[in-house]
Amino acid sequence: MSLFLKIAIRYLFSKKSHSAINIISMVSICGVAVTTMALICTLSVYNGFQDLIASLYSSLDPQIKVIPATGKTLSLQDPSIKSLAEWQEIDAIAPVIEENALLIYRNRQMPVLLKGVPDNYSQVSNIDSILLDGNFFLKDSVANYATIGVGVANRLEVGAHYVYPLSVYTPKRKAKVNLANPSNAFNEDRMFATAVFSVNQPEYDDQMVIVPLDMAAKLFDYPQQASALEIKLKPKTNEKRVIASLSEHLGKDYLVKDRMMQQETSFRMMQIEKWMTFLILAFILMIATFNVIGSLSMLIIDKQNDIKTLQNLGADEKLISRIFLTEGWLISAIGAGTGLIAGIFLCWLQQEYGLLRLGQTSGAFIVDAYPVRLLWSDALAVLAIVTLLGLPAAWYPVKYLRNKWLRTE
């Protein structure tokens, strides 16, 4: 162990001539530790909520989605699209049509997002896992069936297997409105509600209605066309590599998106909130490091006689400066290490036992306790910010020592 490190450790833990110096040193360590712990816990909670929201979206959002770069539809007869069925990495492909429509049930009506899906839709989504009532079923020889969001069901006062049909109206693509008979400008069809789903996301629950693909194609006049392709990959397939290959294969006319990209706005807002909170806590950490400046300054004053003794023994300016610089660094390092360990431990407790709960009533929220997920990249970011703030805090008193005392001796 280096001489300057031995002396710095002894100064840190030995009793000072003034007890206030020991107290200030402990306050400095505790301030850095508490702020570091808060940073770790806060970032982990944001990660937990992001995973929670991603799990809700993924119940309906496909693993990969291909949409046209321009316009609203893509052609299912495009050779580059048809060739995707031969890709070994792809487990299932479902062309879908998404358009706005007017839904009417008896004397109630509302605009909805009509989503036409093929028979294999359950292979590319987890639709069965989010059903509140009924069974996912598209059609039989008698009628078409719809799976509706829980918000749509509440507003129209309809549920699974109700005896009255739902009527849906969509404007004809190329028809002109005849004021004498405006109904001729709309396509109309009927279906029965067979299931109600909920993903706890308003953009789905409050407006989405899932219907057969051929019914949607007829309503919107989309022959051999689709709004998007929804793709599920085979297990253990490298998703990023396949997305890159799809983008290269399809060219600039199509956009290939994973689940995060499909909900880019929501996840970007969460990332902004996360790192804004990080900056606020980092500012609090910066204030906490001012205690290091005070603690180290008082230690330098307390050790004036030791400094003179070291100089008489032959210690140069560099050695003495390194002693007190290391002392300041140790205060920050011990505080950061303690806070990091405490933060990781609290995250583990929350993850295993859910100590911090969202409400008193179980089931009132999507989850009962705050979700957490620790990322080591977050821990490294916290350690980096502690280091960046701790080194200047230790350097400033040492600079004063070198300018005022060591060079005048």
Side-chain angles (χ1 to χ4, degrees):
M1 185 182 295
S2 302
L3 177 61
F4 68 87
L5 181 58
K6 289 182 180 180
I7 299 174
I9 294 174
R10 181 175 179 82
Y11 280 171
L12 180 62
F13 295 104
S14 64
K15 186 177 180 180
K16 317 298 189 298
S17 59
H18 299 281
S19 60
I21 300 176
N22 295 84
I23 295 174
I24 293 175
S25 297
M26 289 304 300
V27 169
S28 302
I29 292 174
C30 291
V32 174
V34 170
T35 312
T36 302
M37 180 184 67
L39 278 167
I40 291 293
C41 292
T42 302
L43 296 180
S44 297
V45 168
Y46 270 107
N47 294 333
F49 275 112
Q50 180 172 311
D51 287 349
L52 175 63
I53 293 175
S55 67
L56 296 174
Y57 276 125
S58 64
S59 299
L60 277 180
D61 287 336
Q63 187 175 5
I64 296 177
K65 190 172 186 177
V66 178
I67 61 174
T70 58
K72 299 176 66 176
T73 62
L74 53 83
S75 174
L76 298 179
Q77 299 302 313
D78 188 334
S80 61
I81 295 293
K82 295 177 69 175
S83 64
L84 295 181
E86 302 174 1
W87 284 43
Q88 295 182 352
E89 299 90 344
I90 295 177
D91 189 32
I93 302 178
V96 300
I97 295 175
E98 294 182 347
E99 280 288 358
N100 295 320
L102 179 67
L103 191 65
I104 299 177
Y105 180 72
R106 305 190 75 177
N107 61 342
R108 291 171 292 275
Q109 63 183 24
M110 67 175 294
V112 297
L113 177 64
L114 206 67
K115 181 171 183 176
V117 301
D119 295 336
N120 69 335
Y121 181 66
S122 58
Q123 297 180 19
V124 298
S125 71
N126 297 318
I127 184 68
D128 293 327
S129 65
I130 58 174
L131 296 182
L132 296 179
D133 187 23
N135 299 300
F136 177 69
F137 191 67
L138 291 174
K139 60 183 177 179
D140 57 21
S141 59
V142 177
N144 292 316
Y145 298 95
T147 299
I148 60 179
V150 64
V152 178
N154 290 336
R155 184 168 173 181
L156 295 180
E157 299 181 15
V158 63
H161 308 303
Y162 277 34
V163 295
Y164 289 98
L166 295 161
S167 297
V168 59
Y169 294 86
T170 62
K172 295 180 179 178
R173 294 179 65 184
K174 300 179 181 180
K176 295 182 179 180
V177 177
N178 185 351
L179 296 179
N181 188 11
S183 61
N184 285 338
F186 293 87
N187 290 323
E188 177 189 359
D189 209 335
R190 293 186 176 187
M191 68 275 193
F192 292 88
T194 186
V196 178
F197 71 84
S198 173
V199 292
N200 294 293
Q201 297 296 332
E203 53 265 49
Y204 292 144
D205 292 346
D206 295 346
Q207 62 177 349
M208 182 170 283
V209 175
I210 301 175
V211 299
L213 179 63
D214 54 357
M215 174 184 172
K218 180 180 178 182
L219 281 169
F220 297 113
D221 297 325
Y222 283 169
Q224 296 300 317
Q225 292 177 302
S227 302
L229 293 178
E230 298 189 353
I231 298 174
K232 181 181 179 181
L233 302 179
K234 292 182 179 179
K236 299 182 180 180
T237 302
N238 189 318
E239 183 177 307
K240 292 183 177 179
R241 183 179 61 81
V242 173
I243 290 176
S245 299
L246 283 172
S247 299
E248 182 179 356
H249 172 74
L250 296 173
K252 61 181 180 180
D253 294 333
Y254 299 94
L255 300 178
V256 183
K257 297 184 175 184
D258 59 14
R259 288 193 175 108
M260 295 288 284
M261 296 171 66
Q262 292 169 45
Q263 302 295 337
E264 187 175 3
T265 302
S266 299
F267 289 113
R268 183 187 293 123
M269 287 301 300
M270 288 200 66
Q271 287 296 316
I272 291 174
E273 292 175 0
K274 172 182 174 179
W275 293 111
M276 284 300 296
T277 304
F278 176 83
L279 291 176
I280 292 171
L281 290 175
F283 180 75
I284 297 174
L285 179 62
M286 182 180 68
I287 297 175
T289 56
F290 279 105
N291 291 326
V292 178
I293 297 176
S295 174
L296 198 56
S297 299
M298 293 187 68
L299 180 65
I300 290 173
I301 295 173
D302 184 67
K303 299 300 182 181
Q304 290 183 57
N305 293 330
D306 288 5
I307 293 173
K308 291 180 180 180
T309 301
L310 288 170
Q311 287 180 318
N312 292 332
L313 291 173
D316 57 9
E317 176 185 328
K318 183 179 179 181
L319 176 60
I320 296 174
S321 298
R322 293 180 71 179
I323 291 172
F324 291 100
L325 190 64
T326 304
E327 174 83 5
W329 179 82
L330 284 174
I331 293 174
S332 297
I334 293 174
T338 304
L340 182 62
I341 293 172
I344 294 174
F345 180 67
L346 286 176
C347 289
W348 177 80
L349 287 177
Q350 179 66 18
Q351 189 172 11
E352 294 294 324
Y353 303 104
L355 302 180
L356 190 60
R357 308 191 72 80
L358 286 166
Q360 298 297 326
T361 305
S362 179
F365 297 90
I366 300 173
V367 290
D368 294 330
Y370 280 91
V372 295
R373 180 168 70 96
L374 177 66
L375 292 179
W376 292 111
S377 58
D378 291 344
L380 292 175
V382 171
L383 289 178
I385 197 69
V386 172
T387 302
L388 289 175
L389 294 175
L391 290 178
W395 171 82
Y396 181 79
V398 173
K399 178 177 178 292
Y400 178 81
L401 168 69
R402 297 180 67 176
N403 292 338
K404 297 296 182 180
W405 289 352
L406 297 182
R407 292 179 181 175
T408 59
E409 294 295 333

